[in-house]
């Protein structure tokens, strides 16, 4: 065992409970081939097991009353497949405990359960699927409650589509519903950090589910580069969702109608005129009847289509508006605080090729304006009631080139430099602020109540400091660039000049080491993991389990 692990084992801070540190320590050791760690309670005892991911298997380390046995106390799960997408979900066992669910070779789905310290034989949930997966073992996140009925459904990838398998009350599944989807392949070539792997993996995009027609059942929205399709739920129908879309917007046809970018026909006196080729599709409730409507923007043309309980008539818009100028984008927001969502159109002034040449040496301003069309309860006003102007101050492009070169050099220096690992967590009963853990100078340093939680971003147009009584705003791009701090750790800045409340001597340097926090033992206090790879590549470290949970179990 490494010297620093022995030092950690021997370290028991006297009077630690008085300053907020109340933890028991245990060494951790994992093979060099470990690619990732996942925490999950598989046996329902409120203590999380550690699942180590390898290239060809999973290893499950159960947590007992004495902690973990990393030397001998693990269970191997070897899949009989070359391509595996796995997930963790409850609802597939009689006792409600979580199971490991895996899609094997894109063709079948099986589930394993942890019982009395051993894995059960696999149960086949689905077979003969005819899908596909990337080779290797990857976390797929394909078990989801799609229709919000409390039963876990399966979403499996197929060529050009996602197959949705809705769960039945008897444990079976409905016939697969194929939904067109742009499949995503995640590529990871970054070999920096404690856990890493290079290669490709199929990922399943998030399904958009919400009640569009106010019938109390979530509907399915499928959006690809070519089609926006809505499937209205019908719990009484055999498939729950219809086999074909209740209504759809042909995005490919819209783009064909608007035309493609052609440099030969580019208007050099109005380069921003290419915005006429852009489009947006917004599903929101415009008339406050609880049913979502569609706002379709094609360049400067805005069409409003009314939704109904049975769908939407896309042949007959309720309203059509046209805006001149170069429309940059649109969104809905209640500007006059009457409870109805108003239409906001963003436009940008014409920019010529001559303007671009002038910006090479001189700073300039670009005028962006927002036009607000109030909502009368059924449609938007034909003319805007308010015009908001934002002046974007741009420095010379020559100066910007130098700034971006400096930022690139700073980013390169950050990638090659040692990174101080930090983590925030709730380590004691003080709830106002978070505690900070810092791994540096061969120590784990703890700053109690050192970090103020970040407030949620809730202000409308907060970057502009927007208010209803003000119509003119200014953004200084130079000031924004000057405020960029590459590689700066905000948490370290907050405790700058302050001595750590507790320092645990690790006894040796931790190359590429990381400090992580997680809830391992079912209480509200975070547990701490200090991990690093030794010279042989093995993961060595120390776990600190909060004594609060230990006392409760005793």
């Amino acid at each position: 065992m490494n010297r620093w692990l022995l030092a950690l084992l021997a370290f028991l801070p006297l009077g630690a409970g008085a300053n907020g540190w109340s933890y028991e320590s245990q060494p951790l050791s994992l093979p060099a081939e470990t690619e990732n760690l996942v925490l999950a309670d598989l046996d329902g005892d409120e203590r999380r097991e550690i699942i180590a991911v390898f290239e060809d298997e999973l290893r499950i380390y159960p947590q007992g009353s004495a902690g973990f046995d990393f030397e001998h106390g693990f269970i191997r799960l070897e899949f009989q497949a070359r391509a595996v997408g796995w997930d963790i979900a409850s609802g597939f066992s009689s006792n409600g405990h979580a199971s490991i669910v895996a899609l094997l070779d894109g063709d079948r789905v099986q589930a394993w359960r942890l019982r009395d310290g051993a894995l059960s034989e696999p149960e086949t949930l689905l077979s003969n699927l005819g899908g596909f997966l990337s080779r290797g073992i990857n976390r797929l996140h394909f078990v989801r409650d799609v229709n919000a009925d409390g039963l876990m459904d399966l979403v499996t990838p197929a060529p050009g589509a996602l197959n949705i398998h809705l769960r039945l009350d008897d444990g079976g599944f409905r016939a697969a519903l194929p939904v067109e989807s742009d499949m995503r392949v995640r590529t990871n070539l970054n070999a920096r950090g404690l856990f890493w792997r290079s290669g490709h993996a199929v990922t399943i995009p998030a399904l958009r589910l919400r009640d569009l027609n106010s019938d109390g059942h979530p509907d399915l929205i499928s959006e690809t580069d070519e089609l926006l399709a809505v499937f209205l739920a019908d719990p009484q129908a055999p498939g729950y969702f219809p086999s074909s879309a209740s209504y759809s917007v042909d995005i490919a046809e819209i783009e064909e109608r608007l035309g493609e970018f052609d440099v030969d026909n580019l208007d050099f006196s109005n380069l921003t005129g290419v915005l006429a080729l852009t489009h947006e599709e917004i599903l929101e409730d415009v008339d406050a009847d609880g049913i979502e409507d569609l706002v379709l923007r094609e360049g400067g043309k805005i069409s409003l289509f009314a939704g109904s309980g049975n769908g939407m008539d896309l042949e007959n818009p309720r309203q059509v508006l046209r805006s001149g100028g170069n429309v940059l984008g649109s969104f809905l927001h209640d500007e006059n605080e009457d409870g109805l969502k108003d239409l906001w159109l963003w436009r940008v002034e014409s920019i010529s090729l001559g303007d671009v040449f002038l910006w090479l040496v001189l700073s300039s301003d670009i005028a962006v304006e927002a036009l607000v069309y109030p909502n009368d309860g059924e449609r938007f006003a034909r003319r805007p009631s308010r015009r908001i102007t934002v002046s974007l101050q741009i420095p010379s492009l020559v100066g910007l080139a130098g700034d971006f070169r400096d930022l690139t050099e700073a980013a390169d220096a950050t990638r090659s430099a040692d990174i101080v690992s930090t983590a925030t967590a709730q380590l004691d009963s003080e709830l106002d602020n978070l505690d900070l853990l810092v791994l540096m100078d061969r120590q784990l340093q703890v700053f109690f109540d050192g970090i103020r939680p970040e407030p949620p971003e809730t202000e409308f147009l907060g970057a502009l400091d927007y208010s209803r009584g003000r119509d003119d705003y200014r953004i200084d791009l130079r000031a924004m660039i000057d405020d960029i701090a590459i590689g700066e750790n905000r948490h370290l800045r907050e405790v700058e000049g302050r001595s750590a409340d507790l320092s645990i001597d690790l006894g040796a340097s931790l190359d590429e080491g990381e400090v992580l926090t997680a809830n391992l033992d079912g209480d509200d206090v975070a547990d701490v993991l200090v991990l690093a790879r030794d010279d042989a590549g093995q993961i060595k470290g120390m776990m600190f389990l909060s004594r609060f949970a230990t006392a409760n179990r005793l």
Side-chain angles (χ1 to χ4, degrees):
M1 184 177 296
N2 287 0
R3 289 182 300 145
W4 67 275
L5 287 179
L6 291 172
L8 277 172
L9 277 174
F11 183 85
L12 287 175
L14 297 177
N19 60 17
W21 184 261
S22 184
Y23 285 80
E24 292 179 348
S25 60
Q26 178 186 353
L28 178 150
S29 178
L30 294 169
E33 297 79 16
T34 305
E35 295 180 348
N36 205 352
L37 297 180
V38 177
L39 306 178
D41 179 13
L42 297 177
D43 54 10
D45 64 353
E46 297 186 353
R47 295 190 292 253
R48 292 186 177 183
E49 280 65 54
I50 294 179
I51 303 174
V53 182
F54 293 79
E55 183 179 2
D56 54 359
E57 68 177 12
L58 301 181
R59 291 188 187 180
I60 303 168
Y61 296 84
Q63 182 180 179
S65 57
F68 297 88
D69 179 1
F70 292 102
E71 190 70 25
H72 305 290
F74 61 86
I75 304 167
R76 277 193 169 96
L77 176 51
E78 298 175 298
F79 301 100
Q80 303 302 314
R82 301 177 65 183
V84 178
W86 68 282
D87 204 351
I88 298 173
S90 58
F92 294 98
S93 62
S94 58
N95 54 19
H97 297 168
S99 305
I100 295 178
V101 185
L103 174 63
L104 306 177
D105 291 328
D107 184 64
R108 61 196 185 279
V109 178
Q110 293 184 332
W112 291 259
R113 303 167 187 88
L114 183 63
R115 295 173 178 169
D116 300 324
L119 275 181
S120 67
E121 291 296 318
E123 175 190 357
T124 299
L125 303 178
L126 288 173
S127 59
N128 301 318
L129 298 178
F132 72 96
L133 277 179
S134 300
R135 185 172 179 176
I137 297 179
N138 300 285
R139 185 79 182 270
L140 190 58
H141 300 287
F142 71 105
V143 184
R144 308 173 185 179
D145 184 2
V146 173
N147 54 351
D149 62 352
L151 300 175
M152 300 307 292
D153 312 303
L154 303 177
V155 183
T156 60
L162 295 175
N163 285 332
I164 299 177
H165 310 267
L166 297 178
R167 191 87 178 274
L168 297 171
D169 291 333
D170 61 5
F173 293 86
R174 299 177 189 259
L177 171 67
V179 176
E180 290 188 32
S181 176
D182 293 327
M183 297 305 299
R184 303 172 185 174
V185 178
R186 182 181 66 247
T187 301
N188 184 12
L189 300 177
N190 180 21
R192 184 179 178 88
L194 185 65
F195 300 111
W196 63 272
R197 66 177 300 175
S198 298
H200 303 276
V202 171
T203 62
I204 295 179
L207 296 173
R208 296 170 58 191
L209 291 159
R210 64 175 185 265
D211 186 4
L212 298 177
N213 57 354
S214 193
D215 64 352
H217 303 288
D219 307 301
L220 175 63
I221 306 169
S222 171
E223 187 170 6
T224 69
D225 291 338
E226 298 182 346
L227 186 71
L228 170 64
V230 172
F231 299 79
L232 296 178
D234 182 2
Q236 307 305 319
Y240 192 91
F241 293 112
S243 57
S244 58
S246 304
Y247 57 90
S248 61
V249 178
D250 191 339
I251 296 176
E253 190 274 333
I254 292 175
E255 293 180 347
E256 182 179 356
R257 184 169 64 248
L258 292 175
E260 297 181 351
F261 174 75
D262 185 358
V263 68
D264 293 332
N265 296 321
L266 184 62
D267 182 1
F268 291 101
S269 65
N270 182 21
L271 298 178
T272 46
V274 297
L275 293 172
L277 305 179
T278 62
H279 60 89
E280 289 177 295
E281 297 78 33
I282 304 173
L283 282 170
E284 289 201 45
D285 183 8
V286 173
D287 51 14
D289 63 351
I291 299 174
E292 297 202 12
D293 311 295
L294 172 67
V295 176
L296 173 62
R297 182 184 68 82
E298 303 170 84
K301 175 186 175 184
I302 298 91
S303 303
L304 171 62
F305 298 90
S308 69
N310 298 321
M312 187 177 294
D313 182 4
L314 294 176
E315 298 296 327
N316 299 296
R318 174 182 289 178
Q319 181 184 21
V320 177
L321 292 174
R322 297 184 185 275
S323 174
N326 305 308
V327 178
L328 186 63
S330 60
F331 64 88
L332 302 182
H333 177 76
D334 182 8
E335 187 274 335
N336 53 10
E337 299 179 354
D338 63 352
L340 299 172
K341 296 178 180 179
D342 307 307
L343 174 65
W344 293 59
L345 289 185
W346 288 94
R347 300 193 310 190
V348 62
E349 67 173 312
S350 298
I351 299 174
S352 69
L353 184 61
D355 294 329
V356 176
F357 283 124
L358 186 63
W359 293 344
L360 288 173
V361 293
L362 298 176
S363 61
S364 183
D365 289 354
I366 296 178
V368 180
E369 61 181 9
L371 305 179
V372 182
Y373 296 79
N375 184 345
D376 67 5
E378 286 193 359
R379 64 194 72 229
F380 304 110
R382 298 195 59 82
R383 296 185 180 278
S385 62
R386 186 179 176 195
R387 185 188 304 266
I388 299 170
T389 302
V390 180
S391 179
L392 180 61
Q393 186 176 9
I394 300 178
S396 70
L397 297 182
V398 173
L400 277 180
D403 292 334
F404 285 119
R405 182 175 60 251
D406 294 341
L407 290 175
T408 301
E409 292 175 354
D412 292 339
T414 299
R415 282 192 291 269
S416 61
D418 293 334
I419 298 176
V420 176
S421 178
T422 63
T424 59
Q426 194 74 54
L427 302 178
D428 54 20
S429 58
E430 175 60 50
L431 301 179
D432 292 337
N433 294 324
L434 296 175
D435 308 306
L436 176 65
L437 297 131
V438 181
L439 189 62
M440 65 183 302
D441 297 334
R442 302 187 179 187
Q443 291 181 332
L444 175 63
Q445 300 180 1
V446 184
F447 298 83
F448 292 111
D449 307 325
I451 303 298
R452 296 183 301 273
E454 293 188 50
E457 291 286 343
T458 57
E459 292 187 5
F460 176 65
L461 297 180
L464 291 178
D465 193 21
Y466 168 82
S467 68
R468 289 192 61 205
R470 178 183 169 196
D471 289 340
D472 297 303
Y473 300 87
R474 188 175 187 84
I475 296 177
D476 187 347
L477 188 58
R478 163 66 66 190
M480 294 177 63
I481 294 174
D482 291 341
D483 288 340
I484 296 176
I486 300 294
E488 183 181 43
N489 189 312
R490 180 183 68 84
H491 295 147
L492 288 178
R493 187 175 68 246
E494 287 197 35
V495 297
E496 186 177 3
R498 172 181 164 182
S499 298
D501 297 297
L502 177 66
S503 296
I504 301 176
D505 188 6
L506 301 179
S509 61
L510 296 176
D511 295 332
E512 301 290 340
E514 293 186 21
V515 55
L516 310 171
T517 60
N519 188 347
L520 286 168
D521 42 24
D523 61 4
D524 295 328
V525 179
D527 304 296
V528 181
L529 291 83
V530 180
L531 305 176
R533 289 190 183 269
D534 62 15
D535 294 338
Q538 282 194 309
I539 296 176
K540 300 288 187 179
M542 182 61 59
M543 305 173 60
F544 295 93
L545 302 178
S546 64
R547 291 176 181 166
F548 301 102
T550 303
N552 290 337
R553 289 198 296 266
L554 295 177

